[in-house]
């Protein structure tokens, strides 16, 4: 797992980086191999913004959130990523299930 955190128009904060590292560690359950996360935190006017790109084997996911608090923004982005990963896992499971049930049984 590789996590890169960038700050734009914002002072780098060890506490924000630590929280991001902890949140991303929870995504390991969706991956068997290596994956990388590119996280960009910024402030635009009074809005805290996070843009995240998750790259893994045969997968690329993006999430974006804007709120009035950086910690809230991190939580919103994580919810979006987990939702996307859950949908992807469900699609893959359904494809495997369909293949197994479509095989005709001998009489």
């Amino acid at each position: 797992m590789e996590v890169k955190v960038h700050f734009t128009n914002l002072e780098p904060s060890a506490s924000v980086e630590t929280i991001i590292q902890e949140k991303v560690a929870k995504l390991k359950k969706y991956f068997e191999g290596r994956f990388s996360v590119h996280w960009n935190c910024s402030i635009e006017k009074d809005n805290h913004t996070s843009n995240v790109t998750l790259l893994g084997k045969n997968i690329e996911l993006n999430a974006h959130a804007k709120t009035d608090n950086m910690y809230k923004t991190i939580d919103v982005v994580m919810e979006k990523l987990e939702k996307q990963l859950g949908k992807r896992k469900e699609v893959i499971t359904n494809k495997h299930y369909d293949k197994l049930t479509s095989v005709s049984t001998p009489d």
Side-chain angles (χ1 to χ4, degrees):
M1 174 180 79
E2 178 185 350
V3 180
K4 293 181 182 178
V5 181
H6 301 281
F7 295 93
T8 307
N9 299 332
L10 178 67
E11 289 295 319
S13 170
S15 64
V16 171
E17 279 194 53
T18 304
I19 289 173
I20 290 172
Q21 294 280 349
E22 291 172 0
K23 298 279 187 178
V24 170
K26 293 178 182 178
L27 298 177
K28 283 185 181 180
K29 64 184 175 185
Y30 294 102
F31 295 94
E32 293 176 5
R34 296 188 52 177
F35 68 98
S36 64
V37 177
H38 302 279
W39 201 297
N40 187 9
C41 300
S42 64
I43 295 180
E44 298 171 0
K45 297 186 181 179
D46 290 334
N47 292 321
H48 294 261
T49 306
S50 284
N51 294 313
V52 180
T53 302
L54 188 144
L55 301 169
K57 185 177 180 182
N58 300 325
I59 186 171
E60 180 178 349
L61 300 176
N62 296 302
H64 173 80
K66 229 184 232 191
T67 63
D68 59 343
N69 183 342
M70 184 57 71
Y71 299 104
K72 255 195 254 181
T73 305
I74 293 169
D75 290 338
V76 170
V77 166
M78 286 303 298
E79 288 174 11
K80 289 181 178 184
L81 284 175
E82 287 179 342
K83 187 174 181 180
Q84 290 178 27
L85 286 166
K87 284 182 181 179
R88 179 170 166 76
K89 185 176 180 180
E90 183 179 320
V91 167
I92 290 171
T93 304
N94 287 342
K95 284 182 182 178
H96 289 295
Y97 180 75
D98 290 343
K99 286 181 184 177
L100 291 175
T101 57
S102 66
V103 174
S104 61
T105 57
D107 290 332

